[in-house]
């Protein structure tokens, strides 16, 4: 048996690339780990995975759901 693929053991006790494995932040949306090299949104000091799922979860945390209505004139 020849184990050449480090991705098989992604739980930290195998041989992993430290560049890929270092958690730098936790996602403001899903709460999951953000690793070095991940694509993220930086919003108000939070980092969010750059996908629509996490972005929507984050907005749900900080925003208020409502029904859009006609805009009122701001004076
Ligand atoms: Zn996320």
């Amino acid at each position: 048996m020849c184990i050449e693929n480090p991705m098989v053991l992604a739980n930290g006790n195998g041989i992993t690339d430290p560049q890929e494995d270092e958690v730098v932040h936790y996602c403001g949306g899903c709460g999951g780990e953000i690793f070095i090299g991940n694509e993220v949104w930086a919003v108000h000091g939070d980092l969010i995975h750059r996908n629509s799922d996490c972005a929507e979860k984050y907005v749900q945390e900080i925003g208020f759901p409502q029904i859009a209505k006609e805009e009122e004139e701001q004076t």
Side-chain angles (χ1 to χ4, degrees):
M1 234 181 11
C2 180
I3 299 167
E4 284 284 341
N5 187 356
M7 294 306 286
V8 173
L9 294 172
N11 57 7
N13 57 19
I15 300 158
T16 52
D17 183 351
Q19 280 275 299
E20 299 277 343
D21 209 24
E22 193 170 332
V23 177
V24 288
H25 215 280
Y26 289 91
C27 177
C30 72
E33 292 114 338
I34 291 172
F35 300 100
I36 288 175
N38 283 172
E39 287 191 36
V40 294
W41 295 107
V43 185
H44 298 314
D46 288 322
L47 296 183
I48 301 125
H49 291 125
R50 224 170 123 182
N51 63 53
S52 53
D53 244 31
C54 295
E56 185 170 339
K57 280 180 186 155
Y58 183 74
V59 170
Q60 284 171 357
E61 290 288 322
I62 64 170
F64 300 96
Q66 62 179 18
I67 307 299
K69 51 180 186 270
E70 198 175 337
E71 251 182 82
E72 285 167 34
E73 282 293 323
Q74 306 281 335
T75 47

